[in-house]
Amino acid sequence: MTMTAPDPLRDPQAFLLHLYRVAVQRAQPLHSMAQHLPPPPKGRTVVLGAGKAGASMAQALEALWPQDAPLSGLVVTRYGHIPPRPEGLAQRLEVVEAAHPVPDAAGLAAAERILALTRGLTEDDLVLCLISGGGSALLTLPAEGITLEEKQRINRALLESGAAIGEMNCVRKHLSRIKGGRLAAACAPARVVTLTISDVPGDDPSVIASGPTVPDASTCADALDILARYHIDIPAAVHAALQAGALETPKPGDVRFAGHAVHMIATPQQSLQAAADAARAAGVAAYILSDEMEGESREVGKVHAALARAVARHGQPFARPCVILSGGETTVTV
């Protein structure tokens, strides 16, 4: 779909909104998924998914997968994030809703059902995993010895601590029975193909949604260090299990990941580039600072504002008119 840009000088607010829509459009899974889909397998094709883009990804897969090839599975997304179904598109995948960013009982039930769907898979089967941001909260299955209520408390504490997304997800992986590669490990001996939309700096698939389908290089000791750094309490039995390494995640080199594939179908950089291209097509210079911005939100905001003022007042470091774009994941310490 081609979008016409408003005049950037007559209506700059509408022009910026146009650039935002272009960036979002670039990330829509229907436009980028087809090239990464494998052929149907000899056996079953099972779809497992979690994330705020889960329903959109599921609809894209339903539209792109051969209509004569079997397709079944379960995807969990955030409340209110199921888009209208295109007319004539048959529903072959079940999509359920749960809470984000703090998990709830619906997310727990969905994670239990998703893990159950891995039972009985064979080497002739294919598992397509649709993973996007938000999956850490939506795919919640606490480790042994942790209740849902305790997981919710720890999750809130992490969200309010100012911890970076990688730090939060390191803890989440080690306190889970499904994240940190455990979902893919449970699929063995079936082949797993992960289609993911990145929402994290660096596009590391082991960080996106706490990496349920990829090996995890972090350790129980790393998780303990993060919990201590941000003064987050956990049950004594869980602390002891982490110290003993009993909650360790599957590591790189684990044979259960042999033959698996991960495809990044949309990234922040791609969306930033689409917005920059749209700005330049309208005759406005565009500069992408980075797609890996991190730090305290109020401080990053001040830097952005100072840069914009410098351009407006002095024409430095860029000449006006221009747009300055960036992406990443800033944090807020409550």
Side-chain angles (χ1 to χ4, degrees), residues 208-253:
I208 302 165
S210 297
T213 64
V214 294
D216 175 42
S218 70
T219 65
C220 287
D222 294 330
L224 280 171
D225 287 344
I226 293 163
L227 290 164
R229 187 179 312 137
Y230 294 102
H231 309 290
I232 297 172
D233 293 327
I234 57 174
V238 177
H239 190 279
L242 285 171
Q243 280 190 318
L247 300 180
E248 202 52 271
T249 49
K251 299 302 175 208

Short mmCIF file of all heavy atoms in Angstrom, two decimals, residues 208-253:
data_model
loop_
_atom_site.label_atom_id
_atom_site.label_comp_id
_atom_site.label_asym_id
_atom_site.label_seq_id
_atom_site.Cartn_x
_atom_site.Cartn_y
_atom_site.Cartn_z
N ILE A 208 14.59 -11.37 22.55
CA ILE A 208 13.20 -11.14 22.13
C ILE A 208 12.29 -12.16 22.80
O ILE A 208 12.46 -13.37 22.64
CB ILE A 208 13.06 -11.24 20.59
CG1 ILE A 208 13.99 -10.24 19.90
CG2 ILE A 208 11.62 -10.99 20.17
CD1 ILE A 208 14.19 -10.51 18.42
N ALA A 209 11.34 -11.67 23.58
CA ALA A 209 10.39 -12.54 24.30
C ALA A 209 11.11 -13.56 25.19
O ALA A 209 10.59 -14.65 25.45
CB ALA A 209 9.46 -13.26 23.32
N SER A 210 12.30 -13.23 25.63
CA SER A 210 13.13 -14.11 26.46
C SER A 210 13.51 -15.40 25.75
O SER A 210 13.73 -16.45 26.38
CB SER A 210 12.43 -14.43 27.79
OG SER A 210 12.24 -13.27 28.56
N GLY A 211 13.60 -15.33 24.42
CA GLY A 211 14.17 -16.42 23.62
C GLY A 211 13.64 -17.81 23.88
O GLY A 211 14.44 -18.71 24.17
N PRO A 212 12.34 -18.07 23.75
CA PRO A 212 11.83 -19.41 24.06
C PRO A 212 12.29 -20.50 23.10
O PRO A 212 12.22 -21.68 23.43
CB PRO A 212 10.30 -19.24 23.98
CG PRO A 212 10.10 -18.06 23.07
CD PRO A 212 11.25 -17.14 23.34
N THR A 213 12.80 -20.11 21.91
CA THR A 213 13.14 -21.13 20.91
C THR A 213 14.61 -21.13 20.53
O THR A 213 14.99 -21.82 19.58
CB THR A 213 12.31 -20.91 19.63
OG1 THR A 213 12.65 -19.64 19.05
CG2 THR A 213 10.83 -20.94 19.93
N VAL A 214 15.46 -20.41 21.25
CA VAL A 214 16.88 -20.37 20.92
C VAL A 214 17.72 -20.65 22.16
O VAL A 214 17.29 -20.39 23.29
CB VAL A 214 17.29 -19.00 20.32
CG1 VAL A 214 16.61 -18.78 18.98
CG2 VAL A 214 16.97 -17.85 21.26
N PRO A 215 18.93 -21.19 21.98
CA PRO A 215 19.79 -21.47 23.14
C PRO A 215 20.10 -20.20 23.92
O PRO A 215 20.08 -19.09 23.36
CB PRO A 215 21.06 -22.05 22.50
CG PRO A 215 20.71 -22.40 21.11
CD PRO A 215 19.57 -21.54 20.70
N ASP A 216 20.40 -20.37 25.18
CA ASP A 216 20.66 -19.23 26.07
C ASP A 216 22.07 -19.30 26.65
O ASP A 216 22.41 -20.26 27.32
CB ASP A 216 19.63 -19.21 27.20
CG ASP A 216 19.91 -18.13 28.21
OD1 ASP A 216 20.27 -17.01 27.79
OD2 ASP A 216 19.79 -18.39 29.42
N ALA A 217 22.86 -18.27 26.37
CA ALA A 217 24.24 -18.25 26.87
C ALA A 217 24.35 -17.71 28.29
O ALA A 217 25.40 -17.86 28.93
CB ALA A 217 25.12 -17.42 25.93
N SER A 218 23.29 -17.06 28.81
CA SER A 218 23.36 -16.53 30.17
C SER A 218 23.22 -17.67 31.17
O SER A 218 22.81 -18.78 30.84
CB SER A 218 22.27 -15.48 30.39
OG SER A 218 20.98 -16.06 30.42
N THR A 219 23.54 -17.37 32.43
CA THR A 219 23.59 -18.42 33.45
C THR A 219 22.75 -18.07 34.67
O THR A 219 22.33 -16.93 34.86
CB THR A 219 25.04 -18.64 33.92
OG1 THR A 219 25.49 -17.43 34.59
CG2 THR A 219 25.96 -18.96 32.75
N CYS A 220 22.56 -19.06 35.51
CA CYS A 220 21.89 -18.84 36.80
C CYS A 220 22.64 -17.78 37.62
O CYS A 220 22.02 -16.95 38.29
CB CYS A 220 21.81 -20.14 37.59
SG CYS A 220 20.61 -21.33 36.97
N ALA A 221 23.98 -17.81 37.54
CA ALA A 221 24.78 -16.82 38.27
C ALA A 221 24.51 -15.42 37.76
O ALA A 221 24.45 -14.46 38.55
CB ALA A 221 26.26 -17.17 38.15
N ASP A 222 24.34 -15.28 36.45
CA ASP A 222 24.01 -13.97 35.88
C ASP A 222 22.67 -13.48 36.43
O ASP A 222 22.52 -12.30 36.79
CB ASP A 222 23.91 -14.05 34.35
CG ASP A 222 25.24 -14.36 33.70
OD1 ASP A 222 26.29 -13.97 34.25
OD2 ASP A 222 25.24 -15.00 32.63
N ALA A 223 21.69 -14.37 36.49
CA ALA A 223 20.37 -14.00 36.99
C ALA A 223 20.45 -13.56 38.46
O ALA A 223 19.84 -12.56 38.87
CB ALA A 223 19.40 -15.16 36.84
N LEU A 224 21.23 -14.28 39.26
CA LEU A 224 21.40 -13.91 40.66
C LEU A 224 22.06 -12.54 40.80
O LEU A 224 21.67 -11.73 41.66
CB LEU A 224 22.24 -14.96 41.39
CG LEU A 224 21.51 -16.24 41.81
CD1 LEU A 224 22.50 -17.27 42.32
CD2 LEU A 224 20.46 -15.92 42.89
N ASP A 225 23.06 -12.26 39.97
CA ASP A 225 23.74 -10.96 40.01
C ASP A 225 22.76 -9.83 39.71
O ASP A 225 22.79 -8.77 40.36
CB ASP A 225 24.89 -10.93 39.01
CG ASP A 225 26.07 -11.78 39.45
OD1 ASP A 225 26.13 -12.14 40.65
OD2 ASP A 225 26.93 -12.09 38.60
N ILE A 226 21.90 -10.03 38.73
CA ILE A 226 20.93 -8.99 38.35
C ILE A 226 19.92 -8.78 39.46
O ILE A 226 19.59 -7.63 39.82
CB ILE A 226 20.23 -9.39 37.03
CG1 ILE A 226 21.23 -9.37 35.88
CG2 ILE A 226 19.05 -8.47 36.73
CD1 ILE A 226 20.78 -10.10 34.64
N LEU A 227 19.42 -9.85 40.04
CA LEU A 227 18.47 -9.74 41.15
C LEU A 227 19.10 -8.98 42.33
O LEU A 227 18.45 -8.14 42.96
CB LEU A 227 18.01 -11.12 41.59
CG LEU A 227 17.10 -11.86 40.60
CD1 LEU A 227 17.03 -13.34 40.94
CD2 LEU A 227 15.71 -11.24 40.58
N ALA A 228 20.35 -9.27 42.61
CA ALA A 228 21.04 -8.57 43.70
C ALA A 228 21.28 -7.11 43.36
O ALA A 228 21.12 -6.23 44.22
CB ALA A 228 22.37 -9.28 44.00
N ARG A 229 21.66 -6.82 42.12
CA ARG A 229 21.96 -5.44 41.70
C ARG A 229 20.76 -4.53 41.87
O ARG A 229 20.90 -3.37 42.25
CB ARG A 229 22.42 -5.46 40.24
CG ARG A 229 22.92 -4.12 39.72
CD ARG A 229 23.38 -4.25 38.28
NE ARG A 229 24.25 -5.42 38.12
CZ ARG A 229 24.17 -6.27 37.10
NH1 ARG A 229 23.26 -6.11 36.15
NH2 ARG A 229 25.00 -7.28 37.03
N TYR A 230 19.56 -5.07 41.61
CA TYR A 230 18.36 -4.24 41.68
C TYR A 230 17.54 -4.52 42.94
O TYR A 230 16.40 -4.07 43.04
CB TYR A 230 17.51 -4.46 40.42
CG TYR A 230 18.21 -3.95 39.17
CD1 TYR A 230 18.83 -4.84 38.29
CD2 TYR A 230 18.29 -2.59 38.89
CE1 TYR A 230 19.51 -4.38 37.17
CE2 TYR A 230 18.96 -2.12 37.76
CZ TYR A 230 19.56 -3.03 36.91
OH TYR A 230 20.23 -2.56 35.79
N HIS A 231 18.14 -5.24 43.88
CA HIS A 231 17.53 -5.48 45.20
C HIS A 231 16.14 -6.09 45.08
O HIS A 231 15.17 -5.63 45.69
CB HIS A 231 17.46 -4.17 45.99
CG HIS A 231 18.77 -3.43 46.05
ND1 HIS A 231 19.86 -3.89 46.76
CD2 HIS A 231 19.16 -2.28 45.44
CE1 HIS A 231 20.87 -3.04 46.60
NE2 HIS A 231 20.48 -2.06 45.81
N ILE A 232 16.04 -7.16 44.28
CA ILE A 232 14.76 -7.84 44.06
C ILE A 232 14.78 -9.16 44.82
O ILE A 232 15.66 -10.00 44.61
CB ILE A 232 14.52 -8.08 42.57
CG1 ILE A 232 14.41 -6.72 41.84
CG2 ILE A 232 13.26 -8.91 42.34
CD1 ILE A 232 14.35 -6.82 40.34
N ASP A 233 13.81 -9.34 45.72
CA ASP A 233 13.75 -10.54 46.54
C ASP A 233 13.06 -11.67 45.78
O ASP A 233 12.11 -11.43 45.01
CB ASP A 233 12.96 -10.26 47.82
CG ASP A 233 13.69 -9.29 48.74
OD1 ASP A 233 14.94 -9.32 48.75
OD2 ASP A 233 13.02 -8.50 49.42
N ILE A 234 13.52 -12.88 46.00
CA ILE A 234 12.89 -14.08 45.45
C ILE A 234 12.77 -15.10 46.57
O ILE A 234 13.48 -15.01 47.58
CB ILE A 234 13.69 -14.67 44.27
CG1 ILE A 234 15.13 -15.00 44.69
CG2 ILE A 234 13.67 -13.74 43.07
CD1 ILE A 234 15.92 -15.72 43.60
N PRO A 235 11.87 -16.09 46.43
CA PRO A 235 11.73 -17.11 47.48
C PRO A 235 13.06 -17.81 47.76
O PRO A 235 13.87 -18.04 46.85
CB PRO A 235 10.70 -18.08 46.89
CG PRO A 235 9.91 -17.25 45.92
CD PRO A 235 10.88 -16.26 45.36
N ALA A 236 13.28 -18.16 49.01
CA ALA A 236 14.55 -18.77 49.42
C ALA A 236 14.84 -20.05 48.64
O ALA A 236 15.99 -20.30 48.24
CB ALA A 236 14.50 -19.07 50.92
N ALA A 237 13.82 -20.86 48.39
CA ALA A 237 14.03 -22.11 47.67
C ALA A 237 14.48 -21.85 46.23
O ALA A 237 15.30 -22.58 45.68
CB ALA A 237 12.75 -22.93 47.67
N VAL A 238 13.94 -20.79 45.63
CA VAL A 238 14.31 -20.44 44.26
C VAL A 238 15.74 -19.89 44.23
O VAL A 238 16.52 -20.19 43.33
CB VAL A 238 13.32 -19.43 43.66
CG1 VAL A 238 13.73 -19.01 42.25
CG2 VAL A 238 11.92 -20.02 43.65
N HIS A 239 16.08 -19.08 45.24
CA HIS A 239 17.44 -18.56 45.35
C HIS A 239 18.44 -19.71 45.45
O HIS A 239 19.49 -19.71 44.78
CB HIS A 239 17.55 -17.64 46.56
CG HIS A 239 18.83 -16.87 46.63
ND1 HIS A 239 20.00 -17.43 47.11
CD2 HIS A 239 19.14 -15.59 46.27
CE1 HIS A 239 20.96 -16.54 47.05
NE2 HIS A 239 20.46 -15.40 46.54
N ALA A 240 18.09 -20.70 46.24
CA ALA A 240 18.96 -21.86 46.40
C ALA A 240 19.08 -22.66 45.10
O ALA A 240 20.16 -23.14 44.75
CB ALA A 240 18.43 -22.76 47.52
N ALA A 241 17.97 -22.77 44.38
CA ALA A 241 17.98 -23.50 43.10
C ALA A 241 18.86 -22.79 42.07
O ALA A 241 19.59 -23.42 41.31
CB ALA A 241 16.56 -23.66 42.57
N LEU A 242 18.80 -21.45 42.06
CA LEU A 242 19.67 -20.69 41.16
C LEU A 242 21.14 -20.87 41.55
O LEU A 242 22.01 -21.05 40.69
CB LEU A 242 19.29 -19.21 41.18
CG LEU A 242 18.01 -18.80 40.44
CD1 LEU A 242 17.66 -17.34 40.74
CD2 LEU A 242 18.15 -19.01 38.94
N GLN A 243 21.41 -20.81 42.83
CA GLN A 243 22.79 -20.99 43.30
C GLN A 243 23.34 -22.36 42.93
O GLN A 243 24.52 -22.51 42.58
CB GLN A 243 22.86 -20.79 44.81
CG GLN A 243 22.88 -19.33 45.25
CD GLN A 243 23.19 -19.20 46.72
OE1 GLN A 243 22.69 -19.95 47.55
NE2 GLN A 243 24.03 -18.21 47.07
N ALA A 244 22.48 -23.36 42.96
CA ALA A 244 22.90 -24.73 42.65
C ALA A 244 22.93 -25.00 41.15
O ALA A 244 23.38 -26.07 40.72
CB ALA A 244 21.97 -25.72 43.34
N GLY A 245 22.43 -24.04 40.35
CA GLY A 245 22.38 -24.23 38.90
C GLY A 245 21.26 -25.14 38.45
O GLY A 245 21.24 -25.59 37.30
N ALA A 246 20.28 -25.38 39.34
CA ALA A 246 19.19 -26.31 39.01
C ALA A 246 18.21 -25.73 38.00
O ALA A 246 17.43 -26.47 37.40
CB ALA A 246 18.45 -26.69 40.29
N LEU A 247 18.24 -24.39 37.81
CA LEU A 247 17.31 -23.75 36.88
C LEU A 247 18.02 -23.30 35.61
O LEU A 247 17.58 -22.36 34.93
CB LEU A 247 16.64 -22.54 37.56
CG LEU A 247 15.83 -22.86 38.82
CD1 LEU A 247 15.22 -21.59 39.40
CD2 LEU A 247 14.74 -23.89 38.52
N GLU A 248 19.12 -24.00 35.28
CA GLU A 248 19.90 -23.59 34.11
C GLU A 248 19.12 -23.83 32.81
O GLU A 248 18.32 -24.76 32.72
CB GLU A 248 21.23 -24.33 34.08
CG GLU A 248 22.29 -23.63 33.25
CD GLU A 248 22.48 -22.18 33.63
OE1 GLU A 248 21.77 -21.32 33.05
OE2 GLU A 248 23.30 -21.88 34.52
N THR A 249 19.37 -22.96 31.83
CA THR A 249 18.71 -23.01 30.53
C THR A 249 19.53 -23.83 29.54
O THR A 249 20.74 -24.01 29.72
CB THR A 249 18.54 -21.59 29.99
OG1 THR A 249 19.80 -20.90 30.11
CG2 THR A 249 17.49 -20.82 30.77
N PRO A 250 18.91 -24.34 28.46
CA PRO A 250 19.67 -25.03 27.40
C PRO A 250 20.69 -24.09 26.76
O PRO A 250 20.39 -22.93 26.49
CB PRO A 250 18.59 -25.44 26.40
CG PRO A 250 17.31 -25.43 27.17
CD PRO A 250 17.46 -24.34 28.19
N LYS A 251 21.89 -24.59 26.53
CA LYS A 251 23.00 -23.75 26.07
C LYS A 251 23.30 -23.94 24.57
O LYS A 251 22.91 -24.94 23.97
CB LYS A 251 24.26 -24.08 26.88
CG LYS A 251 24.12 -23.81 28.37
CD LYS A 251 23.75 -22.37 28.64
CE LYS A 251 23.49 -22.11 30.12
NZ LYS A 251 22.54 -21.01 30.31
N PRO A 252 24.02 -22.97 23.98
CA PRO A 252 24.48 -23.15 22.59
C PRO A 252 25.26 -24.46 22.46
O PRO A 252 26.05 -24.81 23.33
CB PRO A 252 25.38 -21.93 22.37
CG PRO A 252 24.84 -20.88 23.31
CD PRO A 252 24.39 -21.65 24.52
N GLY A 253 25.01 -25.16 21.35
CA GLY A 253 25.64 -26.44 21.15
C GLY A 253 24.77 -27.61 21.54
O GLY A 253 25.10 -28.77 21.22
#
